[in-house]
Amino acid sequence: MSDQEEEFSAQNIPDVSGKREGAYETITIPVPSEDLTQSDQTEDNESEPEDSESAPEPSGGGYEARSEAQSDQSASSPEINDEEHLLEEIMLPEQVLDSPVYSERHSPTQLDNAVQSPKQQSDDHRLTFLDKIKAVKESLKTSMQQSLATVKVVLLPVGQEIIMHFRIDTFLKYLKDHFANQLSVPADVLQIRCAGTILKNNETLLQHGINAEDTVQVEIFSTLPDLYPIKGIRGLNDASQVITVRVQTGIDQYEQVTVEIIKSDLHKPFLGGFRHKITEIEYHNAGTQTVPKKTLEKCNVFCRDTQTVFQRKKLQQTTNTTSTQMTKIGVYVSNMTDKLVTPGKYFSAAEYHAQRLAAVIVLQTYYRRWHAKIVVENIRRQKMLRLKWEEEEKLRKIREKEEWMKLDYYRRHNPQTKEDFELLYNALELWRQEELECINQTFTGAERKAALCELLEKETQLIASIGRHRHNAYLENQEALIQAFLDKCSAPKAWKGFDGKITEMDTQFTIRARELQNIYKCIMLKNISQDERLDVLLTLKHTVKEHECTLTQEILELIDREVDLMMRGVKAHNLEGLRKRISTLFLHYIKTPLFNPEVARHLKVPQDPLKFYKKIHFCYSCQLYLPSTEFAVSSTAHHVHRCRKCVSLDNETRKRESFLKYKCILQRLFSSEADYEDDSKIAFLMQLEDIQYLTENIWSGQSVLSAWKDLGDLVLVRWDKSLQWSPWNCILLTKDEGAAHLKLTSIEEGYEPTFIHKIKHKHILAKNYFSQIPVLASLMFDDDEIEEIRKQCPTETTPNFVECQRPSP
């Protein structure tokens, strides 16, 4: 046969095998009808001598007459002959004989009936024809498998992948025509590309180095994508694909295995495998390539119906009566295998149910025992957790108490802030009262006076020591404040972007402030050599020379004076006063907005003096005019009398009270009210004096429940947590009591009526005191009710004010 005929047969054989075995799923690429006609004619010419040699000569010449008629008909109608030939090659011999085309073309006619050969010769001829067809098909199938290659076609730009078999010696024009028909696109528009090279129509895969049984990937795209775009071929994505895998079964022995690829979106887990030690080939378990089985959902087996008994009553009776053969006259039945059965004790239904009930009771007993053990174990575990938590809480409280005592001890021995010195004066007052009480109980007369004088002298020495510590702390704090102020002025501009990153930018003013800060740090350095000090003074002199004013002239004179004294050999400790003057004047230079523009944003004193007129108040104690920020105003005060320094000095000389614990109570109140997020306002209007009055006068400085007097452990919480905090809606408790109080759902259920009445009475006293504030009075009730409460409690409503007359000028 010709090459084109073998090509056509090889392309159609996979369909035949697919029909018979279902192994391959390929795409048949048709060949032009002219090639088929020529191949048919060639096959007919070649098959004539074979038929003449292999087939016996019939006596009647029936087969020759039938073949001549067939050849004449094929010459008159080539299309019908082509269809018949294709049908004979593709279909099985049995299907060819049974097909309608064959029956129509080979139907008996009058001439055939006249010259029909005998039945035996017809059967021999049919067997010879079938053997020939089988041999031809086997040879074609073998040649097709040996010359096929697996082609992976990718349609661009959709990216659809199609796997098919194609002969390596066939022109690529047929592949392009096939996809042009599938895509409804002209064939001359499509281009085939392999490894970046455009393949022509008259080229084959063999010319590009593709051998049989190889795998190659080609891309098909359109040269005119706007007019003829390539779209995906429907019906191929979800279909399964069949490939042929070459497996090595032995040394130089290979076997082709047909594998069906099923596309699935299901994620399959890797179930393991093994690796060949010699060939280094990995093999996966079969479970990895199979669809996992669906697990059935288990029904609920733990339910009440499991132990429920359902009874059904049904009568049973045989439909047919039976008989038993016994010994009688004429019949002998052996009794050698008979057994004597005696009736036992009758087992009634009541006894059966009683036995079942006893068994059920035993089962329930063991189940209840098991359940009780679990409940008791849970209770025991909860008890252990509770005891462990209580022990941890106890240790935590002890630890916090020790830390507080250590902090208090450290603050007393190293005072730095105003609160630390308040603690010192409070401790001094407590010590003085103890010593005074001891002197009054021990001595009388002249001895008592001498002891009091000695006590006064000790107190004076302690006050002087506290004053020295305060002065040192003031100097350290002042230097720290100056450094913080300079750092704030020289800090770059910073803002937060939309991505959360911090962006910083330096301006000309911040750079100037940073330069002045560095010079100030160099001036304040100590224990440096004379040359280094001269360099610092020279830098300072060049910096100050930029502006001419009284301040800069004074700084320049002091710099020249220090340089002259250093050249004369004056010691460093004798120059400390002069250096202090230089640093102070340069600090004034830095704080001047004319020389340092950035400092204007951080000065507390505004540059415009007109802003002071409405915020200046007169202190009747120190006789000074001070800004409003220097006065501590209580929420119940009507006038401003003394500044903060005078109030603190009066406290140090007379009462010597410590307000640190009240500040802690106020801070805890602010923190707890901020967590509610319910727009609570009254709590943030409270001042230190108001908290002190609430704690000492209203709640007597102790917890209402446990009478605990340590102010460090007390908190002011809401009485009714559904309402905002106020002096008439609060209660003083310890931290643990406050946490338990806030967990109550109902106040009436948690406390007794007498206790509730006591709390409400304290709330009325708080209302009477804080009703003097107009803002709070508007939140409470009408003025008539306020006047009525004031008449009932006249002693608690009048605040004590110290009126100081302003001296006459």
Side-chain angles (χ1 to χ4, degrees):
M1 297 189 299
S2 63
D3 295 339
Q4 297 178 354
E5 182 181 355
E6 291 178 359
E7 174 187 350
F8 177 78
S9 302
Q11 292 173 354
N12 288 275
I13 283 176
D15 294 338
V16 178
S17 60
K19 293 179 181 180
R20 297 183 61 183
E21 302 176 359
Y24 292 91
E25 181 179 350
T26 58
I27 299 175
T28 303
I29 301 177
V31 184
S33 58
E34 298 177 357
D35 300 340
L36 296 177
T37 305
Q38 296 176 3
S39 63
D40 291 341
Q41 294 174 0
T42 306
E43 183 178 1
D44 292 341
N45 297 332
E46 294 177 357
S47 61
E48 286 179 0
E50 294 177 359
D51 293 342
S52 62
E53 294 177 1
S54 60
E57 295 180 359
S59 59
Y63 178 76
E64 293 178 359
R66 186 164 54 252
S67 61
E68 291 175 359
Q70 181 178 357
S71 62
D72 296 339
Q73 189 176 359
S74 63
S76 61
S77 57
E79 296 180 358
I80 300 176
N81 191 10
D82 293 340
E83 294 179 0
E84 181 183 357
H85 183 73
L86 287 173
L87 183 63
E88 291 178 358
E89 286 188 353
I90 296 175
M91 299 179 60
L92 297 177
E94 295 82 355
Q95 297 175 351
V96 172
L97 295 177
D98 297 337
S99 63
V101 178
Y102 184 86
S103 60
E104 182 180 355
R105 296 290 301 151
H106 299 273
S107 59
T109 59
Q110 294 178 0
L111 181 60
D112 294 336
N113 293 331
V115 293
Q116 186 177 8
S117 62
K119 182 177 181 180
Q120 183 177 2
Q121 293 179 359
S122 176
D123 294 340
D124 295 340
H125 175 265
R126 184 175 182 180
L127 292 174
T128 305
F129 179 74
L130 291 178
D131 294 339
K132 178 183 177 182
I133 292 296
K134 289 182 179 179
V136 171
K137 289 174 61 178
E138 291 295 334
S139 62
L140 291 177
K141 184 176 180 180
T142 303
S143 62
M144 180 213 67
Q145 292 180 355
Q146 293 179 358
S147 61
L148 288 179
T150 303
V151 180
K152 182 178 180 181
V153 181
V154 180
L155 301 180
L156 299 180
V158 296
Q160 185 180 9
E161 298 179 357
I162 302 172
I163 300 177
M164 57 185 298
H165 294 291
F166 192 76
R167 291 193 52 156
I168 59 177
D169 55 351
T170 304
F171 294 142
L172 295 174
K173 177 180 180 300
Y174 301 140
L175 181 64
K176 184 184 297 185
D177 294 341
H178 169 71
F179 280 98
N181 185 22
Q182 294 288 336
L183 298 172
S184 301
V185 176
D188 55 350
V189 177
L190 297 180
Q191 290 288 345
I192 301 178
R193 180 173 57 194
C194 177
T197 304
I198 303 298
L199 306 182
K200 300 180 180 180
N201 294 340
N202 56 355
E203 295 180 350
T204 61
L205 295 178
L206 188 59
Q207 297 177 0
H208 291 273
I210 307 301
N211 299 323
E213 300 180 358
D214 288 350
T215 302
V216 63
Q217 178 177 342
V218 299
E219 300 172 353
I220 296 180
F221 60 94
S222 174
T223 56
L224 300 176
D226 297 334
L227 297 178
Y228 301 101
I230 292 182
K231 301 180 181 179
I233 302 176
R234 297 182 180 179
L236 294 180
N237 292 334
D238 299 333
S240 61
Q241 298 181 358
V242 178
I243 62 174
T244 303
V245 181
R246 187 181 181 187
V247 181
Q248 184 178 3
T249 58
I251 300 176
D252 297 336
Q253 295 181 2
Y254 298 92
E255 181 181 354
Q256 292 184 355
V257 179
T258 302
V259 180
E260 182 180 3
I261 302 175
I262 301 176
K263 292 186 178 180
S264 176
D265 296 336
L266 179 65
H267 176 71
K268 300 176 183 179
F270 177 71
L271 302 180
F274 63 94
R275 181 176 57 84
H276 200 282
K277 293 184 178 179
I278 299 176
T279 61
E280 299 293 335
I281 300 177
E282 293 184 356
Y283 297 90
H284 293 180
N285 291 343
T288 307
Q289 301 179 1
T290 56
V291 180
K293 296 181 180 180
K294 295 183 179 179
T295 57
L296 299 177
E297 296 182 358
K298 295 183 178 180
C299 58
N300 188 9
V301 296
F302 301 99
C303 61
R304 185 176 180 182
D305 297 340
T306 307
Q307 301 180 1
T308 306
V309 179
F310 296 96
Q311 297 181 355
R312 294 181 181 179
K313 295 182 179 180
K314 184 178 181 181
L315 298 177
Q316 295 183 355
Q317 181 64 33
T318 57
T319 57
N320 297 328
T321 58
T322 59
S323 59
T324 306
Q325 183 66 43
M326 303 297 293
T327 302
K328 65 176 182 178
I329 300 173
V331 177
Y332 173 75
V333 178
S334 177
N335 57 359
M336 296 300 294
T337 59
D338 292 350
K339 295 181 181 180
L340 180 62
V341 180
T342 58
K345 184 179 179 181
Y346 179 73
F347 193 70
S348 62
E351 293 176 351
Y352 172 75
H353 289 297
Q355 184 180 3
R356 296 281 294 177
L357 180 61
V360 170
I361 291 175
V362 172
L363 292 177
Q364 290 183 351
T365 302
Y366 281 101
Y367 171 75
R368 290 176 181 177
R369 176 187 176 188
W370 171 77
H371 189 268
K373 288 175 65 177
I374 292 179
V375 172
V376 172
E377 187 66 25
N378 291 334
I379 295 175
R380 185 182 293 109
R381 189 183 301 107
Q382 293 177 4
K383 179 183 177 182
M384 293 177 62
L385 293 176
R386 177 68 181 183
L387 293 177
K388 184 179 179 180
W389 177 80
E390 291 180 355
E391 186 68 22
E392 292 178 355
E393 287 294 315
K394 184 178 180 180
L395 293 176
R396 183 182 62 81
K397 292 178 182 178
I398 294 174
R399 196 182 305 110
E400 289 181 356
K401 192 70 175 179
E402 291 177 354
E403 291 178 358
W404 176 265
M405 293 178 64
K406 289 181 181 179
L407 180 62
D408 184 72
Y409 180 82
Y410 177 79
R411 298 178 73 169
R412 290 172 187 267
H413 284 74
N414 301 280
Q416 296 292 334
T417 61
K418 179 182 177 182
E419 291 79 8
D420 298 344
F421 289 102
E422 287 182 356
L423 289 176
L424 282 179
Y425 281 107
N426 187 19
L428 177 62
E429 180 64 20
L430 294 178
W431 172 81
R432 190 187 68 82
Q433 291 179 1
E434 291 177 0
E435 292 293 329
L436 182 60
E437 184 178 358
C438 182
I439 291 173
N440 292 333
Q441 293 177 1
T442 306
F443 301 103
T444 57
E447 295 179 353
R448 178 176 176 274
K449 291 183 179 180
L452 290 177
C453 292
E454 185 179 359
L455 176 63
L456 180 61
E457 185 178 356
K458 290 182 179 180
E459 182 181 2
T460 305
Q461 293 177 0
L462 292 175
I463 291 174
S465 177
I466 294 174
R468 289 192 297 270
H469 280 287
R470 171 177 286 181
H471 179 70
N472 296 333
Y474 172 78
L475 295 179
E476 295 178 0
N477 295 336
Q478 192 68 19
E479 188 64 28
L481 289 175
I482 292 174
Q483 292 297 334
F485 176 77
L486 295 178
D487 292 338
K488 191 184 299 183
C489 294
S490 60
K493 310 292 182 181
W495 64 87
K496 190 174 183 180
F498 66 94
D499 54 352
K501 296 182 179 179
I502 303 299
T503 305
E504 296 182 353
M505 181 186 69
D506 281 324
T507 63
Q508 55 181 352
F509 300 142
T510 57
I511 295 175
R512 171 69 176 177
R514 193 176 298 117
E515 293 176 356
L516 296 178
Q517 181 188 12
N518 295 333
I519 295 174
Y520 180 80
K521 288 182 179 180
C522 295
I523 292 175
M524 298 301 296
L525 291 177
K526 297 181 180 180
N527 300 326
I528 59 177
S529 62
Q530 183 175 354
D531 295 337
E532 294 175 348
R533 181 66 182 179
L534 290 175
D535 293 338
V536 172
L537 293 177
L538 182 61
T539 305
L540 176 61
K541 186 174 183 180
H542 288 301
T543 304
V544 174
K545 274 185 178 180
E546 297 176 359
H547 304 86
E548 293 184 1
C549 62
T550 306
L551 179 61
T552 56
Q553 291 178 0
E554 188 174 358
I555 294 175
L556 293 175
E557 292 177 359
L558 294 177
I559 291 174
D560 295 337
R561 187 182 304 176
E562 182 180 357
V563 171
D564 183 55
L565 293 176
M566 290 174 62
M567 293 302 177
R568 294 175 182 270
V570 179
K571 296 182 179 180
H573 65 274
N574 294 329
L575 298 175
E576 289 182 358
L578 180 59
R579 293 175 178 177
K580 182 65 177 177
R581 289 184 61 189
I582 294 175
S583 61
T584 304
L585 291 177
F586 185 66
L587 181 61
H588 291 170
Y589 177 87
I590 293 175
K591 289 184 178 181
T592 304
L594 180 61
F595 310 137
N596 187 11
E598 186 66 21
V599 81
R601 300 176 59 253
H602 304 283
L603 288 177
K604 293 184 179 179
V605 179
Q607 301 301 314
D608 187 6
L610 298 177
K611 296 182 179 180
F612 280 105
Y613 292 159
K614 296 183 179 180
K615 297 182 180 180
I616 293 297
H617 299 276
F618 181 74
C619 177
Y620 292 93
S621 180
C622 61
Q623 305 293 320
L624 296 175
Y625 288 94
L626 300 172
S628 58
T629 56
E630 297 296 330
F631 292 87
V633 183
S634 174
S635 58
T636 58
H638 295 278
H639 303 283
V640 178
H641 299 288
R642 293 184 297 176
C643 62
R644 297 179 185 271
K645 291 184 179 179
C646 296
V647 172
S648 177
L649 182 61
D650 181 71
N651 179 48
E652 292 174 1
T653 55
R654 295 183 182 181
K655 297 182 180 180
R656 294 174 180 173
E657 295 179 351
S658 177
F659 300 98
L660 179 60
K661 295 183 178 180
Y662 300 111
K663 289 183 179 179
C664 294
I665 294 176
L666 185 61
Q667 291 176 358
R668 286 193 287 267
L669 174 62
F670 290 163
S671 177
S672 61
E673 287 301 311
D675 294 338
Y676 279 103
E677 297 181 356
D678 56 354
D679 297 333
S680 178
K681 301 178 181 178
I682 301 178
F684 299 98
L685 297 176
M686 294 293 102
Q687 301 294 329
L688 190 61
E689 294 79 4
D690 304 329
I691 297 298
Q692 182 182 4
Y693 182 86
L694 269 177
T695 305
E696 298 296 337
N697 298 79
I698 304 297
W699 302 104
S700 301
Q702 62 183 5
S703 174
V704 186
L705 290 176
S706 59
W708 185 260
K709 294 185 178 181
D710 189 359
L711 296 180
D713 297 334
L714 299 181
V715 291
L716 281 170
V717 297
R718 296 184 180 185
W719 170 250
D720 186 1
K721 61 181 180 181
S722 62
L723 303 176
Q724 66 171 340
W725 188 95
S726 60
W728 53 91
N729 184 33
C730 64
I731 181 173
L732 186 64
L733 301 171
T734 61
K735 296 179 181 178
D736 297 336
E737 293 171 354
H741 170 77
L742 294 177
K743 293 180 181 179
L744 294 177
T745 56
S746 176
I747 297 176
E748 289 75 10
E749 296 178 0
Y751 301 107
E752 297 181 354
T754 55
F755 182 80
I756 296 175
H757 178 73
K758 177 181 178 182
I759 299 300
K760 288 185 176 180
H761 176 69
K762 292 184 178 295
H763 287 170
I764 291 174
L765 295 178
K767 280 184 179 181
N768 185 29
Y769 177 78
F770 287 97
S771 62
Q772 305 173 36
I773 307 175
V775 178
L776 298 181
S778 62
L779 298 174
M780 285 188 284
F781 30 62
D782 299 332
D783 296 339
D784 298 336
E785 187 176 356
I786 297 175
E787 294 298 332
E788 184 178 355
I789 294 176
R790 286 179 177 177
K791 291 179 181 179
Q792 293 177 0
C793 304
T795 56
E796 295 290 339
T797 57
T798 304
N800 297 325
F801 292 100
V802 179
E803 297 291 341
C804 298
Q805 299 293 334
R806 182 176 180 180
S808 58

